[in-house]
Amino acid sequence: MPCGVVVEPGVFRLAEQDLPLEAPDGWVLVDIRAVGLCGTDYHIFEGKHPFLNYPRVIGHELSGRIAKATGSFKEGELVVINPYLSCGKCRACRKGKPNCCENIEVLGVHRDGGMCSRIMVPETNLYRASGLSELQAAMVEFLAIGAHAVRRAGELKAERVLVTGAGPIGLGTALFARIQGADVQLLDLSEARLRQAGEKFGFEKQHVAGPDILTGPLSDGFDVIFDATGSARAIEAGFPLLAHGSRYVLVSVVKDQIRFDDPEFHKRETQIIGSRNATAEDFETVMQAIRDGLIDTDALCSLTIPVQDVAGRFEALSSDRETLIKAVVTF
C-alpha cells in the first residue's frame, strides 16, 4: 500500500508498505478515505517537531471505513479516528483525561500515522461518522482541538472573547466560541487571513497585530483570550489584553518559556488554562455541529489532493499557508 512518509526534514515521498490483514484483539483495521494536513505535518517536514524520529508516516486527521466487521462496527461503516492513543492506566487516564495521558502516543507523531491505505487502531478510538461525508469526517479532529479549548474555558455566553491566530486551529476555536454565544474578535499578523475569516465565516471584528494594539479597541480587555499562534512572544503580548476576572486559554504549544508580569496577573485574578488535544466528547460535539449545519466544512476545505499527487505538492503546501485553511488528501 502507498504511505506518505517524511523520510527526513525536507524530504516527503510515497513509499510502499505491506497492507495489514489482521489486527490484534481490541484493534480494528480501517481503510483510510481522507487525511487532513495540518501544521504538525508541515512542522515535521520542516524539521521543527521536538518529539519525532524519522522516517515517519504522517497523518492524524483521519476518516476511514471499517475493513473488517467487529462486534461494534459493520464492514464499510464510516468512522472518525481519534489519533491520541492513551495508556488507560496513568493518573490522567484514570481521571478521564486521556487527551493528556502521561504516555500518550499520537498517530503520525510518536508512531506512524494514517496517510496510508489501511491502518490498525484501537476500537475505542473510533467514532461513527453517520451523516458526514468522508471529507467532513477527516476535518473533525482539528475542529475538536478548538471545541476542547472552548469547553475548557467554561461559560462563554455574552463573554467578550479574543482569538489570537486566525489559522485553522484559531478558526475552529472562534467558530465554537461563537456557537456558545460569545462576542468573538480575531487578532492576527496577516491581513489576508483576517480578510478570509471575515469573508468566509463572518468574523467582522478583526485586528491586525502591531505595536499600538494596547491603545486601540483592544484596550478595554477581554473576558477570555484563546491563543492559537504557536508564538511565545504572541502569548506574552496577550496578558495586557486580559480584563479583570478573565481566563487565558493556551491552545498552541511553544517550546520557549512564557514570562509575564505577576502583579498585573494577580491584580486581574486571571486564570491560565492549558488545552491539549481533545476527548470523545469534543469529537461528538464537532460531528453534531457539522450535522446541524453550524460549521461550514466547504469553506474550511481549501483543496483536495489525490494521494498519488501529494508528493509533488507537499513542499509548496508547506511553504505557502497564508490563506490555506485545510488541504485534504484523498484515497
Side-chain angles (χ1 to χ4, degrees), residues 93-168:
C93 286
R94 296 198 308 270
K95 292 172 65 178
K97 297 185 176 184
N99 58 301
C100 56
C101 166
E102 295 175 19
N103 307 298
I104 199 167
E105 289 187 301
V106 180
L107 296 177
V109 179
H110 305 99
R111 61 191 294 161
D112 282 347
M115 191 175 288
C116 52
S117 298
R118 181 177 290 179
I119 191 173
M120 289 188 300
V121 291
E123 187 168 352
T124 53
N125 284 65
L126 299 178
Y127 310 129
R128 285 183 175 81
S130 55
L132 273 62
S133 70
E134 293 175 350
L135 285 178
Q136 288 176 324
M139 289 188 275
V140 170
E141 189 273 343
F142 95 87
L143 289 168
I145 301 290
H148 182 73
V150 167
R151 184 160 62 89
R152 293 277 289 152
E155 177 61 49
L156 289 182
K157 187 175 182 180
E159 295 279 74
R160 193 167 186 253
V161 167
L162 179 69
V163 177
T164 60

Side-chain angles (χ1 to χ4, degrees), residues 12 24 50 72 83 86 88-89 101 118 131 147 149 153 167 170 176 199 206 235 242 253 261 265 276 283-284 289 330:
F12 175 91
S72 302
S86 56
K89 301 176 182 178
C101 166
R118 181 177 290 179
F176 281 95
E199 292 173 353
Q206 305 176 357
I235 293 172
L242 290 158
V253 180
D261 185 75
F265 168 75
R276 186 182 185 193
F283 279 78
E284 294 293 345
T330 57

Side-chain angles (χ1 to χ4, degrees), residues 215-295:
T215 61
L218 302 183
S219 58
D220 290 340
F222 290 87
D223 302 306
V224 184
I225 296 179
F226 295 93
D227 177 86
T229 64
S231 165
R233 183 179 177 185
I235 293 172
E236 291 174 351
F239 280 93
L241 301 177
L242 290 158
H244 286 239
S246 56
R247 290 100 77 196
Y248 200 177
V249 184
L250 304 185
V251 191
S252 61
V253 180
V254 298
K255 293 189 291 183
D256 307 298
Q257 291 186 339
I258 306 298
R259 302 176 185 274
F260 56 89
D261 185 75
D262 186 64
E264 288 296 321
F265 168 75
H266 267 84
K267 182 172 71 175
R268 289 168 168 78
E269 199 180 46
T270 292
Q271 298 178 57
I272 300 178
I273 302 170
S275 183
R276 186 182 185 193
N277 299 328
T279 66
E281 179 179 349
D282 305 307
F283 279 78
E284 294 293 345
T285 294
V286 171
M287 288 191 286
Q288 191 58 51
I290 294 174
R291 294 184 190 107
D292 292 342
L294 300 177
I295 300 293

Side-chain angles (χ1 to χ4, degrees), residues 168-246:
I169 298 299
L171 282 173
T173 303
L175 288 167
F176 281 95
R178 185 168 65 184
I179 289 172
Q180 295 300 316
D183 173 16
V184 179
Q185 304 187 34
L186 300 181
L187 174 67
D188 198 283
L189 287 167
S190 170
E191 293 185 31
R193 277 188 187 147
L194 291 171
R195 188 183 314 114
Q196 180 173 247
E199 292 173 353
K200 288 193 171 185
F201 306 102
F203 290 109
E204 298 178 354
K205 297 180 180 180
Q206 305 176 357
H207 312 278
V208 178
D212 59 343
I213 58 173
L214 295 179
T215 61
L218 302 183
S219 58
D220 290 340
F222 290 87
D223 302 306
V224 184
I225 296 179
F226 295 93
D227 177 86
T229 64
S231 165
R233 183 179 177 185
I235 293 172
E236 291 174 351
F239 280 93
L241 301 177
L242 290 158
H244 286 239
S246 56

